[in-house]
Amino acid sequence: MITFETVNVEIDGPTATIYFNRPDKKNAMSPQLHQDMHKALDAIEDDGNVKAVVITGVGDSFSAGMDLEECFLRPYNDPMLFYTTNLVALKWFQRLKAFPAVTIAKVNGYAFGGGFEVTGLCDLAVAAEHVKFGLSEINFGIFPAGGASWAATHNLQRKQALYYILTGDTMTGKQAEEFGFVNKAVPAEELDAVTDKIVSKIVNKNPVTLRLAKEVYERTTHLDLPEAIDYDQAKLWELARLTSNEWINVALKQFEKRSFRPGVETYKRDVA
Ligand code: ACO
């Protein structure tokens, strides 16, 4: 376990788990936590072997969002301090969204504001059914910013996004699953096992393929079909080169020998 002041990181082979660790403050994101998140992401990138990153919270909360006192209230009258404090957050949010490994939010409790946003920025999300998600910004007089509106508009239908942005109401993990904001909502006692099962499906894949699959998805959502095809074909050749044609030389050779069925399982990467 690598421990920073407010964040812990556990790296176990191809899986890393990041823990927000301010349980007495519902894992609210203080300036220190924002700095620690950069250190956590650095540690995972430096390891070089991580394919899946799970983010969760210590205690009964995922994260109650930005620390309203330390990030907003106290630095507000010093514009440069306010800017630099919050810039650290805006930068790790963007880093998380573009992270090369697959990111999975394991939402164990309250997820407000920045906690809601992190769930939306991750590639996948699993939540306990009882948890409460909320964009509470409107309740204290602002609108979701710093990527939180983006996270709502890119994970929810328009009416749902606007409902939660405008009312500040909370949605449960179960509702989040119905709206497609999380992949699965499960009883709290099953959260670890269900997340582990998803992780196990990710970590037996080729890491270069995982990274490029994410890039192709993200880029092509904004392209028309001809441009999307041009882009994905170029990426396919990049993949072939970076993986020494593993898909032809290993995977489809195994299919030729009828040693696996690609529709329902993954090829064995270490078998010729
Ligand atoms: N910022 C700073 N401190 C916080 C935050 C926060 N976002 N959330 C909780 N805390 C602190 C509380 O002030 C309290 O501190 P204290 O022990 O020093 O008094 C401690 O965490 C425990 O919180 P309680 O309110 O006592 O816990 P409770 O279970 O009653 O309520 C809840 C939990 C609903 C999460 C409540 O704390 C709350 O409403 N927090 C604010 C949530 C929010 O609106 N976050 C901002 C989102 S917007 C954004 O991220 C930009």
Side-chain angles (χ1 to χ4, degrees):
M1 182 84 87
I2 309 167
T3 55
F4 303 108
E5 213 171 298
T6 62
V7 169
N8 295 338
V9 184
E10 199 170 38
I11 299 180
D12 181 12
T15 310
T17 307
I18 298 177
Y19 298 89
F20 296 132
N21 187 23
R22 291 186 80 211
D24 52 329
K25 292 285 182 183
K26 305 290 174 191
N27 297 325
M29 299 170 179
S30 60
Q32 183 64 50
L33 186 141
H34 295 308
Q35 288 175 18
D36 289 347
M37 278 304 296
H38 281 283
K39 293 178 201 158
L41 295 175
D42 286 345
I44 294 168
E45 281 192 326
D46 289 349
D47 177 85
N49 292 312
V50 172
K51 299 185 195 175
V53 180
V54 176
I55 304 182
T56 194
V58 172
D60 67 0
S61 295
F62 180 68
S63 172
M66 297 295 265
D67 189 307
L68 297 175
E69 291 170 340
E70 290 193 38
C71 289
F72 292 169
L73 197 56
R74 286 183 203 143
Y76 193 73
N77 290 327
D78 180 340
M80 193 48 80
L81 178 65
F82 185 86
Y83 170 76
T84 51
T85 301
N86 288 292
L87 188 61
V88 181
L90 304 182
K91 285 194 167 162
W92 81 256
F93 291 156
Q94 292 176 73
R95 252 185 107 180
L96 177 66
K97 169 67 173 42
F99 207 69
V102 177
T103 52
I104 304 167
K106 181 165 79 171
V107 186
N108 56 308
Y110 289 122
F112 287 104
F116 180 107
E117 174 172 346
V118 167
T119 309
L121 296 182
C122 281
D123 301 317
L124 305 173
V126 187
E129 286 169 347
H130 73 277
V131 305
K132 286 193 172 131
F133 288 98
L135 290 167
S136 56
E137 288 87 338
I138 201 85
N139 292 339
F140 59 95
I142 62 168
F143 51 82
S149 278
W150 189 97
T153 57
H154 285 75
N155 289 279
L156 292 168
Q157 294 290 328
R158 180 169 179 267
K159 289 285 189 293
Q160 296 296 4
L162 281 169
Y163 181 83
Y164 289 101
I165 287 169
L166 297 174
T167 65
D169 268 8
T170 56
M171 71 177 156
T172 62
K174 208 165 171 36
Q175 286 173 307
E177 180 189 50
E178 283 162 27
F179 302 153
F181 189 68
V182 300
N183 297 92
K184 283 181 195 294
V186 298
E189 61 275 16
E190 292 172 25
L191 187 61
D192 288 343
V194 170
T195 309
D196 288 350
K197 198 167 175 193
I198 294 173
V199 167
S200 73
K201 292 173 199 275
I202 300 290
V203 296
N204 65 9
K205 308 291 194 282
N206 185 312
V208 179
T209 316
L210 290 170
R211 176 171 64 76
L212 293 182
K214 285 177 52 163
E215 283 181 29
V216 167
Y217 170 80
E218 297 293 353
R219 290 291 177 87
T220 57
T221 53
H222 306 294
L223 298 179
D224 288 334
L225 183 61
E227 287 79 20
I229 288 176
D230 274 353
Y231 181 79
D232 71 29
Q233 292 302 290
K235 283 289 177 186
L236 203 53
W237 289 112
E238 180 183 331
L239 170 77
R241 177 104 173 129
L242 291 175
T243 61
S244 305
N245 283 305
E246 191 170 288
W247 71 292
I248 292 287
N249 292 336
V250 180
L252 292 187
K253 286 277 189 318
Q254 289 174 18
F255 176 62
E256 195 178 28
K257 289 181 195 152
R258 301 294 183 263
S259 66
F260 89 114
R261 294 177 301 155
V264 289
E265 58 197 327
T266 298
Y267 69 97
K268 289 171 191 62
R269 289 202 57 219
D270 47 2
V271 175

